[in-house]
Amino acid sequence: MLPLSVLVLHGPNLNLLGQREPGIYGSSTLEEINRLLKAESLKLEAKVTSLQSNHEGVLLDAIHGSLGQHQGIIINAGAYTHTSVALRDGIAAVSLPTVEVHLSNIYRRENFRHHSYIAPVVVGQISGFGVQSYVLGLQALVHHLRKDEV
Ligand code: DQA
């Protein structure tokens, strides 16, 4: 049996993690997060492929390209969370189970961050646990895909 394959998408400015507003986003770099996800995927007997882009169209192409390649998506769309109807429609179009993650708790921050265009088309959202949001998101998605009861 082929292992479950999960696409992890990181949106704009997340390439600067580690140096970007560490009081809000922590000190881990994107590379460290991707390494953590790889390690977690091994434990879960799944496979992750990560991509970061500052461009909405590149993220959208990756969502489209996931059809037939991956069984689910983890997405931190960064600021596009609050602006992008295109990413929301893309997720709805491919209809792959998707988990939305955020390092910070977007509901404790500025009002403009309280609305997510993506939230209505994902299985669920994890927000506010720093790098653990990604790990929890991956665990939740794999359990969801395997329909584990506990
Ligand atoms: C973020 C929250 C967004 O509001 C922000 O634009 C980001 C990062 C987070 O992970 O906490 O770029 O998605």
Side-chain angles (χ1 to χ4, degrees):
M1 201 178 67
L2 285 173
L4 279 180
S5 179
V6 172
L7 177 65
V8 181
L9 289 177
H10 306 281
N13 299 306
L14 296 171
N15 54 312
L16 297 180
L17 285 177
Q19 66 186 73
R20 175 192 181 199
E21 301 183 87
I24 296 174
Y25 299 117
S27 55
S28 300
T29 63
L30 191 61
E31 207 184 321
E32 286 167 343
I33 292 174
N34 286 336
R35 248 187 276 133
L36 195 64
L37 286 173
K38 270 264 180 307
E40 187 61 30
S41 72
L42 289 177
K43 287 188 209 158
L44 294 166
E45 294 178 47
K47 199 183 133 213
V48 290
T49 305
S50 302
L51 172 82
Q52 187 277 330
S53 180
N54 294 319
H55 304 275
E56 193 175 13
V58 173
L59 295 166
L60 188 55
D61 285 344
I63 291 168
H64 293 179
S66 63
L67 264 185
Q69 303 296 318
H70 304 286
Q71 284 73 53
I73 301 172
I74 304 278
I75 185 165
N76 182 352
Y80 290 142
T81 305
H82 319 297
T83 63
S84 182
V85 177
L87 291 184
R88 171 208 175 108
D89 286 354
I91 293 166
V94 298
S95 198
L96 284 180
T98 298
V99 173
E100 174 183 353
V101 301
H102 299 284
L103 294 152
S104 63
N105 179 348
I106 56 174
Y107 303 102
R108 291 183 67 174
R109 301 183 61 197
E110 303 94 324
N111 281 334
F112 67 85
R113 293 185 206 274
H114 296 178
H115 178 256
S116 165
Y117 277 101
I118 288 164
V121 295
V122 297
V123 178
Q125 183 198 69
I126 299 172
S127 174
F129 294 96
V131 296
Q132 284 305 314
S133 291
Y134 282 95
V135 175
L136 292 167
L138 180 62
Q139 289 171 348
L141 179 61
V142 168
H143 284 275
H144 175 84
L145 290 168
R146 293 196 175 126
K147 303 274 181 283
D148 287 0
E149 292 296 320
V150 279

